[in-house]
Amino acid sequence: MTSPTHRRDPLLDALRALAMVGVLVVNAISYTVGPWGAPLGEADPASMLSLGLQSLTALLLHGKAYPMLAFLFGAGLVLASRRATLQDRRRRLWRLLGLGVLHGALVYAGDILTMYALCGFTVVAHARERLSRLHARWLRACGWALGSVALSVMLTLLAGGSAQADASEGFGATASWRDQFVLNLNAYLMLQVLGLVLFLPVLRAAMLAGMLAARLRLLTHRRWRPVWQRWVRRLLPVGLLANAAYAFSITDAAARGDSALSLWTAVAPGIGWMLTVPLVGLVVLHARRWPQALAPLGQRTLSLYLLHSLGCLALFSGAGLGWPLPPLAAWTWAMGLWWLAIPAARAMARQGWRGPFEAWMGRR
């Protein structure tokens, strides 16, 4: 008799594929002015199309993708605990950490893999603990996450909106590969230090929420559909309103050429969830067969993420080809890559091929 196989739920993988839209677009739209420029790039020239795309990015994508991926990361840790030992799961986290350090130090300072791995180490041992204890742990993590957002707001107020960066100091203006490396490495190290205080608590709360959701089958069991319907009905209007205000602040600043820090930027992780939750609810409530079309891509998002970063480095950095990347070009690049990745991932799935980095992560 063969051992039973563990089927992946296509909905979770489809959600991961959808969340990658936010990662790719936000990273692309801010790349040339990164690492310290405006969070959603510069609308240069400030046309209605450029400002509209920035506004759309702020409304639907910025501050929504990375906590959603952290949520799914936590759910994945629970599912992995059913077929892999704690030692195996920790080994995968060590590999993810090593990959994140290399990616962050050499390719893209805004790397999220490093922080995901570090956060994963803090929660991986709790995947099978009692639900009551896991719930209490999540509530405490939410408190720390709120504290990190409050600290971010306080630091923004102390900065007085003075933290601005000239586009001529960004990745799009580096004169050589040495300049690119030095700028990227310094930013990566600083962002990791700041992330331990301002970013990791938010990720930890999201991962623990994902672990709870996986244990309760919150995304997949029909008994939760009435709950999702209530959450969508109550949270969607509030989330749209709050994130529309954030989008307006970003667009207004871009129209005035102001790249100073904004309180809206500081609270983006908090208000992002107000829209992410009802949007996920809509996906859950209307999931039929379409998740199966996106599931293969959701199983290969690590390779897609790294390919996107390498492409940005080669095409849009000053050390590379130095192509300009206004909002329209950023959206075209990110969405074009995402759409092309869908049939590529499905073709790989039919052949039984994993993504190159997923295959390496899964090696024993």
Side-chain angles (χ1 to χ4, degrees), residues 107-142:
V107 180
Y108 180 56
D111 168 77
I112 58 174
L113 304 180
T114 303
M115 204 57 61
Y116 277 30
L118 292 175
C119 190
F121 280 117
T122 72
V123 301
V124 66
H126 308 310
R128 307 302 297 171
E129 72 179 356
R130 290 200 313 269
L131 274 174
S132 58
R133 294 189 62 182
L134 186 60
H135 183 257
R137 197 180 299 278
W138 171 67
L139 290 176
R140 290 194 297 270
C142 287

PDB file of all heavy atoms in Angstrom, residues 107-142:
ATOM      1  N   VAL A 107      21.139  41.996  -4.202  1.00  0.00           N
ATOM      2  CA  VAL A 107      20.198  42.278  -5.286  1.00  0.00           C
ATOM      3  C   VAL A 107      19.224  43.381  -4.933  1.00  0.00           C
ATOM      4  O   VAL A 107      19.133  44.395  -5.635  1.00  0.00           O
ATOM      5  CB  VAL A 107      19.427  40.991  -5.681  1.00  0.00           C
ATOM      6  CG1 VAL A 107      18.449  41.284  -6.823  1.00  0.00           C
ATOM      7  CG2 VAL A 107      20.394  39.885  -6.072  1.00  0.00           C
ATOM      8  N   TYR A 108      18.463  43.226  -3.842  1.00  0.00           N
ATOM      9  CA  TYR A 108      17.392  44.175  -3.537  1.00  0.00           C
ATOM     10  C   TYR A 108      17.296  44.389  -2.033  1.00  0.00           C
ATOM     11  O   TYR A 108      16.986  43.463  -1.281  1.00  0.00           O
ATOM     12  CB  TYR A 108      16.061  43.668  -4.083  1.00  0.00           C
ATOM     13  CG  TYR A 108      14.900  44.586  -3.819  1.00  0.00           C
ATOM     14  CD1 TYR A 108      14.936  45.916  -4.242  1.00  0.00           C
ATOM     15  CD2 TYR A 108      13.775  44.151  -3.133  1.00  0.00           C
ATOM     16  CE1 TYR A 108      13.874  46.775  -3.996  1.00  0.00           C
ATOM     17  CE2 TYR A 108      12.705  44.996  -2.881  1.00  0.00           C
ATOM     18  CZ  TYR A 108      12.763  46.308  -3.315  1.00  0.00           C
ATOM     19  OH  TYR A 108      11.715  47.157  -3.066  1.00  0.00           O
ATOM     20  N   ALA A 109      17.555  45.615  -1.610  1.00  0.00           N
ATOM     21  CA  ALA A 109      17.596  45.934  -0.187  1.00  0.00           C
ATOM     22  C   ALA A 109      16.254  45.743   0.498  1.00  0.00           C
ATOM     23  O   ALA A 109      16.195  45.507   1.713  1.00  0.00           O
ATOM     24  CB  ALA A 109      18.070  47.381   0.014  1.00  0.00           C
ATOM     25  N   GLY A 110      15.166  45.843  -0.262  1.00  0.00           N
ATOM     26  CA  GLY A 110      13.836  45.689   0.328  1.00  0.00           C
ATOM     27  C   GLY A 110      13.414  44.245   0.489  1.00  0.00           C
ATOM     28  O   GLY A 110      12.212  43.965   0.596  1.00  0.00           O
ATOM     29  N   ASP A 111      14.367  43.337   0.547  1.00  0.00           N
ATOM     30  CA  ASP A 111      14.099  41.910   0.689  1.00  0.00           C
ATOM     31  C   ASP A 111      13.147  41.626   1.845  1.00  0.00           C
ATOM     32  O   ASP A 111      13.272  42.194   2.935  1.00  0.00           O
ATOM     33  CB  ASP A 111      15.418  41.163   0.934  1.00  0.00           C
ATOM     34  CG  ASP A 111      15.214  39.750   1.381  1.00  0.00           C
ATOM     35  OD1 ASP A 111      14.898  38.908   0.533  1.00  0.00           O
ATOM     36  OD2 ASP A 111      15.345  39.494   2.595  1.00  0.00           O
ATOM     37  N   ILE A 112      12.167  40.718   1.609  1.00  0.00           N
ATOM     38  CA  ILE A 112      11.248  40.311   2.671  1.00  0.00           C
ATOM     39  C   ILE A 112      11.559  38.911   3.189  1.00  0.00           C
ATOM     40  O   ILE A 112      11.052  38.509   4.236  1.00  0.00           O
ATOM     41  CB  ILE A 112       9.783  40.350   2.186  1.00  0.00           C
ATOM     42  CG1 ILE A 112       9.581  39.446   0.968  1.00  0.00           C
ATOM     43  CG2 ILE A 112       9.351  41.778   1.881  1.00  0.00           C
ATOM     44  CD1 ILE A 112       8.138  39.315   0.522  1.00  0.00           C
ATOM     45  N   LEU A 113      12.411  38.177   2.488  1.00  0.00           N
ATOM     46  CA  LEU A 113      12.675  36.795   2.877  1.00  0.00           C
ATOM     47  C   LEU A 113      13.409  36.716   4.215  1.00  0.00           C
ATOM     48  O   LEU A 113      13.131  35.834   5.036  1.00  0.00           O
ATOM     49  CB  LEU A 113      13.496  36.087   1.798  1.00  0.00           C
ATOM     50  CG  LEU A 113      12.911  36.086   0.382  1.00  0.00           C
ATOM     51  CD1 LEU A 113      13.840  35.358  -0.576  1.00  0.00           C
ATOM     52  CD2 LEU A 113      11.532  35.448   0.374  1.00  0.00           C
ATOM     53  N   THR A 114      14.343  37.633   4.435  1.00  0.00           N
ATOM     54  CA  THR A 114      15.098  37.621   5.683  1.00  0.00           C
ATOM     55  C   THR A 114      14.169  37.749   6.878  1.00  0.00           C
ATOM     56  O   THR A 114      14.244  36.959   7.840  1.00  0.00           O
ATOM     57  CB  THR A 114      16.127  38.765   5.699  1.00  0.00           C
ATOM     58  OG1 THR A 114      16.986  38.662   4.569  1.00  0.00           O
ATOM     59  CG2 THR A 114      16.968  38.725   6.968  1.00  0.00           C
ATOM     60  N   MET A 115      13.289  38.733   6.835  1.00  0.00           N
ATOM     61  CA  MET A 115      12.402  38.968   7.965  1.00  0.00           C
ATOM     62  C   MET A 115      11.377  37.855   8.113  1.00  0.00           C
ATOM     63  O   MET A 115      11.004  37.490   9.225  1.00  0.00           O
ATOM     64  CB  MET A 115      11.720  40.324   7.804  1.00  0.00           C
ATOM     65  CG  MET A 115      11.234  40.941   9.101  1.00  0.00           C
ATOM     66  SD  MET A 115      12.520  41.174  10.361  1.00  0.00           S
ATOM     67  CE  MET A 115      13.646  42.288   9.527  1.00  0.00           C
ATOM     68  N   TYR A 116      10.915  37.287   6.994  1.00  0.00           N
ATOM     69  CA  TYR A 116       9.980  36.163   7.071  1.00  0.00           C
ATOM     70  C   TYR A 116      10.646  34.966   7.764  1.00  0.00           C
ATOM     71  O   TYR A 116      10.025  34.279   8.582  1.00  0.00           O
ATOM     72  CB  TYR A 116       9.518  35.744   5.675  1.00  0.00           C
ATOM     73  CG  TYR A 116       8.386  36.577   5.123  1.00  0.00           C
ATOM     74  CD1 TYR A 116       8.242  37.909   5.473  1.00  0.00           C
ATOM     75  CD2 TYR A 116       7.469  36.042   4.237  1.00  0.00           C
ATOM     76  CE1 TYR A 116       7.222  38.683   4.951  1.00  0.00           C
ATOM     77  CE2 TYR A 116       6.433  36.806   3.707  1.00  0.00           C
ATOM     78  CZ  TYR A 116       6.315  38.128   4.077  1.00  0.00           C
ATOM     79  OH  TYR A 116       5.304  38.892   3.572  1.00  0.00           O
ATOM     80  N   ALA A 117      11.901  34.705   7.410  1.00  0.00           N
ATOM     81  CA  ALA A 117      12.603  33.578   8.022  1.00  0.00           C
ATOM     82  C   ALA A 117      12.819  33.820   9.514  1.00  0.00           C
ATOM     83  O   ALA A 117      12.577  32.930  10.340  1.00  0.00           O
ATOM     84  CB  ALA A 117      13.942  33.359   7.324  1.00  0.00           C
ATOM     85  N   LEU A 118      13.280  35.019   9.880  1.00  0.00           N
ATOM     86  CA  LEU A 118      13.498  35.329  11.290  1.00  0.00           C
ATOM     87  C   LEU A 118      12.196  35.214  12.078  1.00  0.00           C
ATOM     88  O   LEU A 118      12.165  34.673  13.184  1.00  0.00           O
ATOM     89  CB  LEU A 118      14.089  36.731  11.432  1.00  0.00           C
ATOM     90  CG  LEU A 118      15.514  36.917  10.912  1.00  0.00           C
ATOM     91  CD1 LEU A 118      15.922  38.387  10.999  1.00  0.00           C
ATOM     92  CD2 LEU A 118      16.500  36.043  11.685  1.00  0.00           C
ATOM     93  N   CYS A 119      11.122  35.726  11.496  1.00  0.00           N
ATOM     94  CA  CYS A 119       9.824  35.640  12.154  1.00  0.00           C
ATOM     95  C   CYS A 119       9.363  34.190  12.230  1.00  0.00           C
ATOM     96  O   CYS A 119       8.782  33.756  13.236  1.00  0.00           O
ATOM     97  CB  CYS A 119       8.811  36.490  11.396  1.00  0.00           C
ATOM     98  SG  CYS A 119       7.249  36.690  12.248  1.00  0.00           S
ATOM     99  N   GLY A 120       9.643  33.413  11.180  1.00  0.00           N
ATOM    100  CA  GLY A 120       9.259  32.011  11.180  1.00  0.00           C
ATOM    101  C   GLY A 120       9.898  31.238  12.315  1.00  0.00           C
ATOM    102  O   GLY A 120       9.257  30.349  12.908  1.00  0.00           O
ATOM    103  N   PHE A 121      11.152  31.564  12.638  1.00  0.00           N
ATOM    104  CA  PHE A 121      11.816  30.893  13.756  1.00  0.00           C
ATOM    105  C   PHE A 121      11.083  31.118  15.079  1.00  0.00           C
ATOM    106  O   PHE A 121      11.113  30.266  15.965  1.00  0.00           O
ATOM    107  CB  PHE A 121      13.259  31.382  13.884  1.00  0.00           C
ATOM    108  CG  PHE A 121      14.209  30.735  12.921  1.00  0.00           C
ATOM    109  CD1 PHE A 121      14.867  31.498  11.962  1.00  0.00           C
ATOM    110  CD2 PHE A 121      14.452  29.372  12.952  1.00  0.00           C
ATOM    111  CE1 PHE A 121      15.744  30.907  11.059  1.00  0.00           C
ATOM    112  CE2 PHE A 121      15.326  28.771  12.057  1.00  0.00           C
ATOM    113  CZ  PHE A 121      15.968  29.540  11.105  1.00  0.00           C
ATOM    114  N   THR A 122      10.420  32.264  15.225  1.00  0.00           N
ATOM    115  CA  THR A 122       9.746  32.580  16.490  1.00  0.00           C
ATOM    116  C   THR A 122       8.400  31.882  16.640  1.00  0.00           C
ATOM    117  O   THR A 122       7.855  31.851  17.747  1.00  0.00           O
ATOM    118  CB  THR A 122       9.534  34.101  16.641  1.00  0.00           C
ATOM    119  OG1 THR A 122       8.511  34.545  15.722  1.00  0.00           O
ATOM    120  CG2 THR A 122      10.816  34.869  16.383  1.00  0.00           C
ATOM    121  N   VAL A 123       7.861  31.331  15.543  1.00  0.00           N
ATOM    122  CA  VAL A 123       6.517  30.734  15.623  1.00  0.00           C
ATOM    123  C   VAL A 123       6.480  29.270  15.204  1.00  0.00           C
ATOM    124  O   VAL A 123       5.477  28.593  15.460  1.00  0.00           O
ATOM    125  CB  VAL A 123       5.505  31.531  14.760  1.00  0.00           C
ATOM    126  CG1 VAL A 123       5.435  32.979  15.209  1.00  0.00           C
ATOM    127  CG2 VAL A 123       5.838  31.437  13.274  1.00  0.00           C
ATOM    128  N   VAL A 124       7.526  28.748  14.573  1.00  0.00           N
ATOM    129  CA  VAL A 124       7.453  27.422  13.971  1.00  0.00           C
ATOM    130  C   VAL A 124       7.165  26.334  15.000  1.00  0.00           C
ATOM    131  O   VAL A 124       6.496  25.339  14.695  1.00  0.00           O
ATOM    132  CB  VAL A 124       8.766  27.121  13.207  1.00  0.00           C
ATOM    133  CG1 VAL A 124       9.954  27.023  14.151  1.00  0.00           C
ATOM    134  CG2 VAL A 124       8.622  25.854  12.373  1.00  0.00           C
ATOM    135  N   ALA A 125       7.620  26.505  16.223  1.00  0.00           N
ATOM    136  CA  ALA A 125       7.413  25.474  17.239  1.00  0.00           C
ATOM    137  C   ALA A 125       5.997  25.466  17.798  1.00  0.00           C
ATOM    138  O   ALA A 125       5.642  24.556  18.561  1.00  0.00           O
ATOM    139  CB  ALA A 125       8.411  25.662  18.379  1.00  0.00           C
ATOM    140  N   HIS A 126       5.177  26.446  17.434  1.00  0.00           N
ATOM    141  CA  HIS A 126       3.834  26.551  17.996  1.00  0.00           C
ATOM    142  C   HIS A 126       2.752  26.006  17.065  1.00  0.00           C
ATOM    143  O   HIS A 126       1.565  26.155  17.349  1.00  0.00           O
ATOM    144  CB  HIS A 126       3.519  28.012  18.319  1.00  0.00           C
ATOM    145  CG  HIS A 126       4.553  28.681  19.157  1.00  0.00           C
ATOM    146  ND1 HIS A 126       5.037  28.137  20.321  1.00  0.00           N
ATOM    147  CD2 HIS A 126       5.225  29.867  18.991  1.00  0.00           C
ATOM    148  CE1 HIS A 126       5.951  28.946  20.840  1.00  0.00           C
ATOM    149  NE2 HIS A 126       6.079  29.989  20.052  1.00  0.00           N
ATOM    150  N   ALA A 127       3.152  25.373  15.968  1.00  0.00           N
ATOM    151  CA  ALA A 127       2.175  24.953  14.970  1.00  0.00           C
ATOM    152  C   ALA A 127       1.184  23.928  15.508  1.00  0.00           C
ATOM    153  O   ALA A 127       0.037  23.881  15.064  1.00  0.00           O
ATOM    154  CB  ALA A 127       2.895  24.383  13.741  1.00  0.00           C
ATOM    155  N   ARG A 128       1.605  23.115  16.484  1.00  0.00           N
ATOM    156  CA  ARG A 128       0.742  22.041  16.965  1.00  0.00           C
ATOM    157  C   ARG A 128       0.291  22.239  18.411  1.00  0.00           C
ATOM    158  O   ARG A 128      -0.301  21.326  18.989  1.00  0.00           O
ATOM    159  CB  ARG A 128       1.477  20.689  16.859  1.00  0.00           C
ATOM    160  CG  ARG A 128       2.047  20.375  15.490  1.00  0.00           C
ATOM    161  CD  ARG A 128       1.002  20.361  14.409  1.00  0.00           C
ATOM    162  NE  ARG A 128      -0.002  19.311  14.608  1.00  0.00           N
ATOM    163  CZ  ARG A 128      -1.111  19.203  13.904  1.00  0.00           C
ATOM    164  NH1 ARG A 128      -1.386  20.087  12.946  1.00  0.00           N
ATOM    165  NH2 ARG A 128      -1.960  18.220  14.132  1.00  0.00           N
ATOM    166  N   GLU A 129       0.534  23.408  18.993  1.00  0.00           N
ATOM    167  CA  GLU A 129       0.130  23.591  20.385  1.00  0.00           C
ATOM    168  C   GLU A 129      -1.379  23.797  20.494  1.00  0.00           C
ATOM    169  O   GLU A 129      -2.069  24.024  19.492  1.00  0.00           O
ATOM    170  CB  GLU A 129       0.879  24.761  21.019  1.00  0.00           C
ATOM    171  CG  GLU A 129       0.485  26.131  20.554  1.00  0.00           C
ATOM    172  CD  GLU A 129       1.282  27.218  21.268  1.00  0.00           C
ATOM    173  OE1 GLU A 129       2.076  26.903  22.166  1.00  0.00           O
ATOM    174  OE2 GLU A 129       1.121  28.389  20.905  1.00  0.00           O
ATOM    175  N   ARG A 130      -1.896  23.732  21.714  1.00  0.00           N
ATOM    176  CA  ARG A 130      -3.332  23.838  21.917  1.00  0.00           C
ATOM    177  C   ARG A 130      -3.863  25.147  21.356  1.00  0.00           C
ATOM    178  O   ARG A 130      -3.223  26.194  21.444  1.00  0.00           O
ATOM    179  CB  ARG A 130      -3.672  23.761  23.413  1.00  0.00           C
ATOM    180  CG  ARG A 130      -3.449  22.391  24.024  1.00  0.00           C
ATOM    181  CD  ARG A 130      -4.251  22.259  25.317  1.00  0.00           C
ATOM    182  NE  ARG A 130      -4.082  23.433  26.180  1.00  0.00           N
ATOM    183  CZ  ARG A 130      -3.143  23.551  27.111  1.00  0.00           C
ATOM    184  NH1 ARG A 130      -2.266  22.564  27.272  1.00  0.00           N
ATOM    185  NH2 ARG A 130      -3.076  24.629  27.864  1.00  0.00           N
ATOM    186  N   LEU A 131      -5.081  25.078  20.810  1.00  0.00           N
ATOM    187  CA  LEU A 131      -5.666  26.258  20.183  1.00  0.00           C
ATOM    188  C   LEU A 131      -5.798  27.407  21.161  1.00  0.00           C
ATOM    189  O   LEU A 131      -5.598  28.573  20.790  1.00  0.00           O
ATOM    190  CB  LEU A 131      -7.039  25.913  19.591  1.00  0.00           C
ATOM    191  CG  LEU A 131      -7.053  25.334  18.184  1.00  0.00           C
ATOM    192  CD1 LEU A 131      -8.456  24.920  17.789  1.00  0.00           C
ATOM    193  CD2 LEU A 131      -6.500  26.346  17.184  1.00  0.00           C
ATOM    194  N   SER A 132      -6.144  27.124  22.403  1.00  0.00           N
ATOM    195  CA  SER A 132      -6.312  28.201  23.395  1.00  0.00           C
ATOM    196  C   SER A 132      -4.992  28.926  23.624  1.00  0.00           C
ATOM    197  O   SER A 132      -4.964  30.157  23.724  1.00  0.00           O
ATOM    198  CB  SER A 132      -6.849  27.635  24.709  1.00  0.00           C
ATOM    199  OG  SER A 132      -5.979  26.631  25.222  1.00  0.00           O
ATOM    200  N   ARG A 133      -3.910  28.184  23.694  1.00  0.00           N
ATOM    201  CA  ARG A 133      -2.593  28.808  23.892  1.00  0.00           C
ATOM    202  C   ARG A 133      -2.168  29.574  22.649  1.00  0.00           C
ATOM    203  O   ARG A 133      -1.591  30.665  22.744  1.00  0.00           O
ATOM    204  CB  ARG A 133      -1.553  27.748  24.250  1.00  0.00           C
ATOM    205  CG  ARG A 133      -1.786  27.067  25.595  1.00  0.00           C
ATOM    206  CD  ARG A 133      -0.620  26.206  25.979  1.00  0.00           C
ATOM    207  NE  ARG A 133       0.600  26.983  26.130  1.00  0.00           N
ATOM    208  CZ  ARG A 133       1.781  26.448  26.431  1.00  0.00           C
ATOM    209  NH1 ARG A 133       1.910  25.145  26.576  1.00  0.00           N
ATOM    210  NH2 ARG A 133       2.834  27.223  26.559  1.00  0.00           N
ATOM    211  N   LEU A 134      -2.447  28.999  21.481  1.00  0.00           N
ATOM    212  CA  LEU A 134      -2.088  29.688  20.237  1.00  0.00           C
ATOM    213  C   LEU A 134      -2.889  30.980  20.098  1.00  0.00           C
ATOM    214  O   LEU A 134      -2.350  32.010  19.663  1.00  0.00           O
ATOM    215  CB  LEU A 134      -2.358  28.757  19.050  1.00  0.00           C
ATOM    216  CG  LEU A 134      -1.914  29.253  17.672  1.00  0.00           C
ATOM    217  CD1 LEU A 134      -0.405  29.499  17.640  1.00  0.00           C
ATOM    218  CD2 LEU A 134      -2.304  28.239  16.592  1.00  0.00           C
ATOM    219  N   HIS A 135      -4.157  30.933  20.483  1.00  0.00           N
ATOM    220  CA  HIS A 135      -4.989  32.129  20.416  1.00  0.00           C
ATOM    221  C   HIS A 135      -4.467  33.208  21.355  1.00  0.00           C
ATOM    222  O   HIS A 135      -4.396  34.395  20.991  1.00  0.00           O
ATOM    223  CB  HIS A 135      -6.434  31.770  20.759  1.00  0.00           C
ATOM    224  CG  HIS A 135      -7.385  32.913  20.662  1.00  0.00           C
ATOM    225  ND1 HIS A 135      -7.861  33.593  21.766  1.00  0.00           N
ATOM    226  CD2 HIS A 135      -7.925  33.535  19.581  1.00  0.00           C
ATOM    227  CE1 HIS A 135      -8.661  34.568  21.376  1.00  0.00           C
ATOM    228  NE2 HIS A 135      -8.721  34.559  20.059  1.00  0.00           N
ATOM    229  N   ALA A 136      -4.098  32.825  22.584  1.00  0.00           N
ATOM    230  CA  ALA A 136      -3.550  33.800  23.534  1.00  0.00           C
ATOM    231  C   ALA A 136      -2.227  34.377  23.019  1.00  0.00           C
ATOM    232  O   ALA A 136      -1.956  35.574  23.168  1.00  0.00           O
ATOM    233  CB  ALA A 136      -3.350  33.133  24.900  1.00  0.00           C
ATOM    234  N   ARG A 137      -1.427  33.528  22.393  1.00  0.00           N
ATOM    235  CA  ARG A 137      -0.146  33.991  21.834  1.00  0.00           C
ATOM    236  C   ARG A 137      -0.399  35.014  20.716  1.00  0.00           C
ATOM    237  O   ARG A 137       0.317  36.010  20.595  1.00  0.00           O
ATOM    238  CB  ARG A 137       0.636  32.794  21.306  1.00  0.00           C
ATOM    239  CG  ARG A 137       2.113  33.052  21.074  1.00  0.00           C
ATOM    240  CD  ARG A 137       2.793  31.794  20.560  1.00  0.00           C
ATOM    241  NE  ARG A 137       2.693  30.698  21.500  1.00  0.00           N
ATOM    242  CZ  ARG A 137       3.493  30.531  22.552  1.00  0.00           C
ATOM    243  NH1 ARG A 137       4.455  31.420  22.780  1.00  0.00           N
ATOM    244  NH2 ARG A 137       3.356  29.495  23.346  1.00  0.00           N
ATOM    245  N   TRP A 138      -1.419  34.743  19.904  1.00  0.00           N
ATOM    246  CA  TRP A 138      -1.756  35.670  18.815  1.00  0.00           C
ATOM    247  C   TRP A 138      -2.249  37.010  19.368  1.00  0.00           C
ATOM    248  O   TRP A 138      -1.879  38.073  18.840  1.00  0.00           O
ATOM    249  CB  TRP A 138      -2.831  35.048  17.921  1.00  0.00           C
ATOM    250  CG  TRP A 138      -3.381  36.001  16.907  1.00  0.00           C
ATOM    251  CD1 TRP A 138      -2.709  36.536  15.844  1.00  0.00           C
ATOM    252  CD2 TRP A 138      -4.701  36.549  16.868  1.00  0.00           C
ATOM    253  NE1 TRP A 138      -3.533  37.391  15.145  1.00  0.00           N
ATOM    254  CE2 TRP A 138      -4.758  37.411  15.752  1.00  0.00           C
ATOM    255  CE3 TRP A 138      -5.827  36.388  17.663  1.00  0.00           C
ATOM    256  CZ2 TRP A 138      -5.910  38.114  15.423  1.00  0.00           C
ATOM    257  CZ3 TRP A 138      -6.977  37.090  17.331  1.00  0.00           C
ATOM    258  CH2 TRP A 138      -7.010  37.935  16.229  1.00  0.00           C
ATOM    259  N   LEU A 139      -3.061  36.990  20.415  1.00  0.00           N
ATOM    260  CA  LEU A 139      -3.538  38.242  21.009  1.00  0.00           C
ATOM    261  C   LEU A 139      -2.375  39.073  21.534  1.00  0.00           C
ATOM    262  O   LEU A 139      -2.352  40.300  21.358  1.00  0.00           O
ATOM    263  CB  LEU A 139      -4.537  37.951  22.127  1.00  0.00           C
ATOM    264  CG  LEU A 139      -5.905  37.393  21.686  1.00  0.00           C
ATOM    265  CD1 LEU A 139      -6.752  37.066  22.905  1.00  0.00           C
ATOM    266  CD2 LEU A 139      -6.623  38.390  20.783  1.00  0.00           C
ATOM    267  N   ARG A 140      -1.428  38.437  22.185  1.00  0.00           N
ATOM    268  CA  ARG A 140      -0.252  39.176  22.666  1.00  0.00           C
ATOM    269  C   ARG A 140       0.542  39.741  21.482  1.00  0.00           C
ATOM    270  O   ARG A 140       1.038  40.877  21.540  1.00  0.00           O
ATOM    271  CB  ARG A 140       0.629  38.272  23.522  1.00  0.00           C
ATOM    272  CG  ARG A 140       0.024  37.899  24.867  1.00  0.00           C
ATOM    273  CD  ARG A 140       1.070  37.294  25.787  1.00  0.00           C
ATOM    274  NE  ARG A 140       1.603  36.039  25.265  1.00  0.00           N
ATOM    275  CZ  ARG A 140       1.096  34.839  25.514  1.00  0.00           C
ATOM    276  NH1 ARG A 140      -0.002  34.733  26.282  1.00  0.00           N
ATOM    277  NH2 ARG A 140       1.639  33.753  25.021  1.00  0.00           N
ATOM    278  N   ALA A 141       0.662  38.947  20.422  1.00  0.00           N
ATOM    279  CA  ALA A 141       1.388  39.414  19.240  1.00  0.00           C
ATOM    280  C   ALA A 141       0.692  40.616  18.613  1.00  0.00           C
ATOM    281  O   ALA A 141       1.353  41.544  18.125  1.00  0.00           O
ATOM    282  CB  ALA A 141       1.511  38.279  18.217  1.00  0.00           C
ATOM    283  N   CYS A 142      -0.651  40.622  18.629  1.00  0.00           N
ATOM    284  CA  CYS A 142      -1.390  41.777  18.104  1.00  0.00           C
ATOM    285  C   CYS A 142      -1.067  43.032  18.916  1.00  0.00           C
ATOM    286  O   CYS A 142      -0.957  44.135  18.359  1.00  0.00           O
ATOM    287  CB  CYS A 142      -2.887  41.506  18.133  1.00  0.00           C
ATOM    288  SG  CYS A 142      -3.436  40.321  16.881  1.00  0.00           S
TER     289      CYS A 142
END
